[in-house]
Amino acid sequence: IPQAAPQIILNLIVCLFYVSAGALDVAMSSQERMFLELDPATRSALDLGGPENPAEPFLLRIIVLVLMTICCYGVQTLFERQRRAEEEAAEFAVRQQQLHAAGRLAAEIAHQIKNPLSIINNASFTLQRALQQGKNTAAEQIEIIREEVDRADRIITELMGYAQLAEGKVEKINVVEELDRAVAQVFPQSAKFSVKIQRDYSDAIPALMMQRGHLSEIFVNILKNAREAMNGSGQISITAAPGPNYTVVVTMADSGPGIPKDKQEKIFESYFSTKEKGTGLGLILCKEFIEK
């Protein structure tokens, strides 16, 4: 038994059963001898001899059982120390891996932010020269600057979400309400997207205990991916059903082209994206939020 307390209790119960059985055996033996003393003929035929004292072997066996209990406790103590040592080693390895990942993430952040900044710098230089020479190319360069600023802002926003995985308050959340709220955010009525949303929600879906911001980020991110994959027109089907052990299974499918099979294994890698200006952080954030 992997825990010491149940092991000791089990051993002591065995000792108690043995003592009870021994006491019952002594009582029955006494009654049997009393009967045989009243019937000398039967006693002579059985050749039982004088009365025996069972105390010595009985106490010896009790001592053996108690010693076995102590040995089991000692073994469980050793197992517990070994288990704690293994847990500490595993935790240390995880921390080392997290530090390594943090250093790699910092380098990738610098690389990702440097790209739009360099493009903005080039566009600003071109814009300055165009203004000096009186050329009418300012609008094009300004549009480039705005696009790259939006791209940098998106990278920083998603990185802030990655850094704030553990922040927030855990609460009881209705999955259906969060799905409908995410659909309203990604496909607002004022935008008039040519997208048909098909919903299929099962009854008696259990509530989830998690952070509302995490669940919202998961649904919104995947729905945005679907909208962009379909170029704003098509069909999205959303299903929600109860799973085993009070889990919830949510499925989202769109009529877009999908992700090529040779790239599906990379979708949870940092900064991998199949979109032209994607940051490659959306799905890895969803994965981290679900694991949290």
Side-chain angles (χ1 to χ4, degrees), residues 70-130:
I70 296 173
C71 290
C72 287
Y73 176 76
V75 170
Q76 293 302 330
T77 302
L78 294 176
F79 280 152
E80 182 67 17
R81 289 182 180 178
Q82 182 180 0
R83 184 185 64 81
R84 289 181 181 178
E86 291 175 353
E87 289 181 353
E88 290 176 358
E91 184 179 358
F92 178 77
V94 170
R95 290 181 182 273
Q96 290 292 105
Q97 186 177 4
Q98 288 176 346
L99 288 174
H100 177 73
R104 180 172 173 268
L105 180 63
E108 292 177 347
I109 290 171
H111 175 72
Q112 291 292 322
I113 296 297
K114 186 177 180 180
N115 288 339
L117 288 179
S118 62
I119 295 174
I120 291 172
N121 186 42
N122 293 336
S124 301
F125 179 75
T126 304
L127 177 61
Q128 184 180 12
R129 289 188 59 183

